[in-house]
Amino acid sequence: MRSPHPSRRRVLAGSLSALATAGVLGPTAGCAAPSAAASGRTRIRFWHLFGGGDGVNMQTMLDAFRAARPDIELEATTLQWGAPYYTKLGMAGAGGRAPEVAALHMARLAGFGPGRLVDPFDPDLLAEAGVRPEDFPEDLWRRGQIDGRQYAVPLDTHPLVLYYQTDICRKAGLMDGKRLKPIGGAAEFTEALRAAKRVTGAAALVTETLGPDCITPWRLFSTFYSQTGGTVLTPDGKGLALDDAKALRVLEYMASLVDEGLWTRRADYGASVGIFNQGRTAFHLNGDWEVTTFRTGGTPFSMARVPALFGRATAQADSHAFVLPHQRGRDTGTDRAACAFVGWMLKNSVEWAAGGHVPAYRPVLADPAYLALDPQSAYRDVIDDVVLDEPAWFAGSASRMWIELGEVFSTLLTGSRTPREALSEAKRRLGRLLDTRNPLPGVAS
């Protein structure tokens, strides 16, 4: 997964009518798909949004699939990450001109009008491909269901994780052999940051705190707030459920680390990655996808789950999943080939895990090839403790909620809002989102 930073203009100002006028439903959106190519092979088309290191890993997997299944003619198309991808995919489904398979962030499923813009999988065809519910974390599998039908099959989960510099942490007395010592609670994390600062003389933690479409502050709040047991929205995603006391506890703690000089106050996404990659700070909180960047940089580092600072050992996450975009007349032959493709990708997802993501298919978690990935396999047990956004149309990766609340909590970290002011503004913006209709065509709010 590339750094999830879509342009604000693409998210908030790109209207569906303008996209239609620009021709996103033209030939590039997909024409009528025959169930078999002229060669006699079953043809399926796969749309995805993976660039950077993820794009390289995905291409390797797609090439391997083509070699393993010459009976299936696979056409793969990489589209622009974020809002442009989801708008185009939604409109293709609404127009019945969609590909046979596509990638979707699981937390965006509710906003994709299951039954309108995406179709359910046939459980018999999934079983035929070796895809069984018991091979996935129960909660993650359930998130792919709407009204008892399976609309999404998870490929991975990509949680917020803690990167740490092993040399600095060793000098600070924070290492236990090759791994970071367990950190139990907010007070212990503060002490760990202080110990690391004594070694470097600089702030011990760096994250993205500002910049266009700054979303990391939201992911940090979501992680820590989930550890208190709180939820942002009601379970159905239609109401506000923020607990003021729990949210303030988290926001005040976040602000205190910045105020004490333990957390770098001002860094955009690129700067935060660069500061850590240069070995100038001990800790970095980010998504798991920067592992390739840091391995290439050569600075000795490792990765761990985000410590349980507020009780529960949860971490904010999303999940790349496979879906069947809506088609007016589904064909059993292409559906069978699509399920075979999904099953093969799941069973061969060690290559995908090299990019940092935790495989959702449990048998891969025990694969010796996956266990040999270091540090990627070190935080694999987080798979049972990830927290996805509640099911709302405006939630999930590259969503309006991430950008709106990322901006709010950015102002907390940079010092222009107090914790109470940030909480008040976050609630105001969530209320506005809850009152706004889903803009995708054919989807009821």
Side-chain angles (χ1 to χ4, degrees):
M1 177 177 180
R2 51 163 274 184
S3 168
H5 287 263
S7 159
R8 184 183 309 279
R9 292 189 298 274
R10 295 200 304 265
V11 175
L12 299 180
S15 70
L16 294 174
S17 59
L19 285 167
T21 301
V24 297
L25 291 182
T28 57
C31 302
S35 62
S39 63
R41 298 183 293 162
T42 303
R43 176 193 177 212
I44 61 171
R45 295 162 300 168
F46 173 50
W47 283 9
H48 68 86
L49 68 173
F50 302 120
D54 277 355
V56 173
N57 294 337
M58 177 56 65
Q59 187 59 53
T60 299
M61 295 173 69
L62 297 177
D63 289 344
F65 172 80
R66 292 184 179 102
R69 292 297 305 264
D71 57 312
I72 296 176
E73 182 176 330
L74 173 66
E75 295 180 8
T77 301
T78 308
L79 300 173
Q80 187 176 358
W81 197 94
Y85 175 79
Y86 284 117
T87 300
K88 188 165 186 177
L89 182 62
M91 294 186 74
R97 299 165 62 84
E100 285 65 51
V101 193
L104 186 88
H105 285 96
M106 185 76 82
R108 295 197 64 127
L109 178 62
F112 248 72
R116 299 181 184 92
L117 303 184
V118 290
D119 295 331
F121 282 91
D122 182 326
D124 292 334
L125 293 181
L126 284 178
E128 184 180 307
V131 179
R132 308 175 303 170
E134 56 265 33
D135 286 329
F136 299 83
E138 184 177 356
D139 288 344
L140 200 56
W141 180 261
R142 187 184 301 119
R143 278 303 298 264
Q145 295 179 347
I146 305 290
D147 296 331
R149 308 188 75 180
Q150 198 72 35
Y151 284 90
V153 175
L155 170 63
D156 66 28
T157 187
H158 39 281
L160 194 78
V161 295
L162 180 67
Y163 297 86
Y164 59 95
Q165 299 283 352
T166 53
D167 285 354
I168 296 174
C169 289
R170 187 169 291 108
K171 292 175 183 176
L174 301 175
M175 295 292 286
D176 182 8
K178 294 183 178 180
R179 300 296 179 194
L180 188 69
K181 289 180 179 178
I183 296 173
E188 284 193 20
F189 188 57
T190 302
E191 287 303 319
L193 295 180
R194 289 170 177 160
K197 184 177 180 179
R198 287 193 290 269
V199 172
T200 65
L205 173 64
V206 66
T207 71
E208 175 192 39
T209 63
L210 54 81
D213 304 328
C214 175
I215 63 170
T216 303
W218 150 252
R219 301 193 75 210
L220 294 164
F221 170 80
S222 179
T223 291
F224 298 143
Y225 177 69
S226 73
Q227 293 183 352
T228 71
T231 61
V232 174
L233 302 175
T234 54
D236 62 5
K238 296 181 179 179
L240 186 63
L242 265 177
D243 182 300
D244 285 10
K246 292 176 178 177
L248 278 174
R249 181 185 173 199
V250 168
L251 293 172
E252 288 169 354
Y253 178 73
M254 292 170 64
S256 73
L257 296 183
V258 178
D259 291 343
E260 191 178 334
L262 300 175
W263 186 343
T264 302
R265 184 180 292 277
R266 301 182 67 82
D268 64 17
Y269 188 89
S272 71
V273 171
I275 289 169
F276 183 81
N277 204 24
Q278 294 162 17
R280 293 159 54 192
T281 191
F283 296 104
H284 177 58
L285 285 164
N286 200 346
D288 58 22
W289 50 81
E290 291 295 352
V291 60
T292 303
T293 301
F294 299 142
R295 287 179 69 91
T296 303
T299 300
F301 81 100
S302 192
M303 299 164 70
R305 295 179 55 165
V306 176
L309 304 189
F310 296 96
R312 304 168 61 202
T314 52
Q316 188 276 345
D318 207 333
S319 167
H320 295 122
F322 295 106
V323 295
L324 304 177
H326 175 64
Q327 294 184 342
R328 290 199 177 99
R330 301 214 66 88
D331 177 87
T332 301
T334 53
D335 282 354
R336 175 173 281 108
C339 289
F341 168 71
V342 169
W344 190 96
M345 296 292 280
L346 293 170
K347 295 170 188 177
N348 293 274
S349 56
V350 169
E351 181 73 35
W352 187 244
H357 308 320
V358 182
Y361 187 64
R362 283 196 183 279
V364 173
L365 294 176
D367 188 322
Y370 172 67
L371 296 175
L373 293 176
D374 185 27
Q376 292 94 325
S377 64
Y379 48 90
R380 63 188 180 279
D381 58 349
V382 75
I383 190 78
D384 293 312
D385 295 306
V386 294
V387 175
L388 278 64
D389 299 343
E390 287 80 35
W393 73 261
F394 51 79
S397 294
S399 68
R400 289 181 61 179
M401 183 175 78
W402 283 32
I403 292 175
E404 292 265 353
L405 298 193
E407 181 182 6
V408 172
F409 298 134
S410 168
T411 61
L412 169 82
L413 295 174
T414 55
S416 59
R417 276 197 178 100
T418 67
R420 287 189 179 277
E421 289 169 344
L423 175 59
S424 177
E425 180 63 12
K427 291 170 68 175
R428 186 187 73 81
R429 295 195 185 195
L430 284 167
R432 187 175 62 193
L433 288 171
L434 286 164
D435 291 339
T436 303
R437 290 181 59 84
N438 188 337
L440 283 174
V443 179
S445 296

